[in-house]
Amino acid sequence: MQLGIVGLGRMGGNIARRLTKAGHACVVWDRNEDAVKGLAAEGNTGASGLADLVARLDAPRAVWVMLPAGGPTEATVTELAALLAPGDIIIDGGNSFYKDDIRRAASLIEQGIAYVDVGTSGGVWGLERGYCMMIGGAKAAVDHLDPIFAALAPGRGEIALTPGREGRDKRVEQGYMHAGPAGSGHFVKMVHNGIEYGLMQAYAEGFEILKHKDSTALPENERFSLDMADIAEVWRRGSVVSSWLLDLTAIALTKDDTLGDFPGEVADSGEGRWTVMAAIEEAVSAEVLSAALYTRFRSRQEHTFGEKMLSAMRFQFGGHTEFKK
């Protein structure tokens, strides 16, 4: 299947690579000409701009936008809408606010253009592991794009099936789902990222407590000098708190158990805020997710070992750089 991809950063470029390996044809463009040339050398078709990208696609066209939420995505979707024709599809695979998706989809449908929002999880590891995807949009458009989603998804792998899933959507077991109408994909991904904040914060606080068990504020016979890297490693093996985030934590601690390269200043990329906002709108209690978000705000003023660990995890799974200047 043919797909246009706009935005060849940490995830967009690897999405093109994974699709090309699966036999799909990608037409790619980015403002960074070197990124375009690099992917063209790997078997993709490079474009010189959005108009050129659209011209190189066969109808019905599908264009995947993988850009930062807000202005860059909004401007690109607007420009693409003027270049595309009825029956074409615009896919937003970034982390857009779901209410923006609802608005864009309503506007584009008047032109006969379908809009599909894809909450995409996998970060810099997606090329190898595949991408977990939460998809919103009209059924016809989502079904048309199924070969693309199937190629990007991680597949069942070694994860055992959940008992009682007989008769349910098999795509979910492959690592992707059609969540519902436009906006629902990014809404599910938004809450996913809010939960991620809480999980990361729990690990950070736990390791902070472990790290300070040798504090001189404690009685000498109650002090332990604990090996953070070994604790992370043993918890990976059979523990109820094992997870991919813990795997990434173990990698960071093995490289440097002081996490000295990480300043402890932790950014928030929007989804955590939007999740808390949704909880307020729905009158749903979200104490852990709210506290995790507020901790990220505070981290920009003072830094703890736990916050360095949050920085380390963000770098490991998403390539987010918060290293010391």
Side-chain angles (χ1 to χ4, degrees), residues 167-238:
R168 302 182 71 92
D169 190 345
K170 294 293 185 183
R171 294 175 296 182
V172 175
E173 298 161 10
Q174 301 297 319
Y176 67 108
M177 70 174 293
H178 184 194
S184 64
H186 277 149
F187 184 79
V188 175
K189 175 58 161 52
M190 177 190 81
V191 177
H192 162 284
N193 282 27
I195 292 170
E196 178 187 294
Y197 280 35
L199 292 173
M200 291 171 67
Q201 187 63 33
Y203 283 124
E205 291 178 10
F207 276 92
E208 180 88 23
I209 295 167
L210 293 167
K211 180 72 172 176
H212 287 279
K213 187 54 179 169
D214 62 356
S215 169
T216 56
L218 297 172
E220 187 172 355
N221 67 336
E222 295 182 11
R223 299 175 200 164
F224 307 143
S225 181
L226 300 170
D227 189 310
M228 299 296 102
D230 281 358
I231 291 171
E233 188 65 23
V234 76
W235 282 357
R236 292 181 61 220
R237 304 176 186 280

Side-chain angles (χ1 to χ4, degrees), residues 80-290:
L80 280 172
L83 296 168
L84 295 174
D88 293 342
I89 305 171
I90 294 177
I91 307 153
D92 179 5
N95 281 324
S96 290
F97 186 39
Y98 77 98
K99 292 185 180 181
D100 289 336
D101 294 317
I102 295 170
R103 170 179 53 79
R104 290 176 192 143
S107 175
L108 288 168
I109 200 63
E110 295 179 359
Q111 301 174 237
I113 298 171
Y115 180 90
V116 174
D117 54 288
V118 182
T120 311
S121 181
V124 296
W125 297 77
L127 176 59
E128 174 187 344
R129 291 168 56 103
Y131 299 91
C132 174
M133 291 167 289
M134 298 135 270
I135 306 159
K139 183 179 184 302
V142 174
D143 288 350
H144 176 74
L145 294 167
D146 189 73
I148 295 296
F149 300 138
L152 290 174
R156 279 184 54 179
E158 299 178 358
I159 300 174
L161 284 178
T162 301
R165 277 202 57 86
E166 295 80 6
R168 302 182 71 92
D169 190 345
K170 294 293 185 183
R171 294 175 296 182
V172 175
E173 298 161 10
Q174 301 297 319
Y176 67 108
M177 70 174 293
H178 184 194
S184 64
H186 277 149
F187 184 79
V188 175
K189 175 58 161 52
M190 177 190 81
V191 177
H192 162 284
N193 282 27
I195 292 170
E196 178 187 294
Y197 280 35
L199 292 173
M200 291 171 67
Q201 187 63 33
Y203 283 124
E205 291 178 10
F207 276 92
E208 180 88 23
I209 295 167
L210 293 167
K211 180 72 172 176
H212 287 279
K213 187 54 179 169
D214 62 356
S215 169
T216 56
L218 297 172
E220 187 172 355
N221 67 336
E222 295 182 11
R223 299 175 200 164
F224 307 143
S225 181
L226 300 170
D227 189 310
M228 299 296 102
D230 281 358
I231 291 171
E233 188 65 23
V234 76
W235 282 357
R236 292 181 61 220
R237 304 176 186 280
S239 165
V240 72
V241 299
S242 60
S243 72
W244 187 41
L245 283 174
L246 185 61
D247 296 344
L248 300 176
T249 299
I251 292 171
L253 288 170
T254 299
K255 290 179 179 177
D256 175 9
D257 64 4
T258 71
L259 302 178
D261 283 339
F262 297 92
E265 180 177 324
V266 187
D268 67 287
S269 53
E271 296 87 353
R273 298 189 191 203
W274 298 337
T275 302
V276 172
M277 288 165 53
I280 292 169
E281 290 178 353
E282 299 167 15
V284 171
S285 178
E287 297 98 326
V288 172
L289 307 192
S290 299

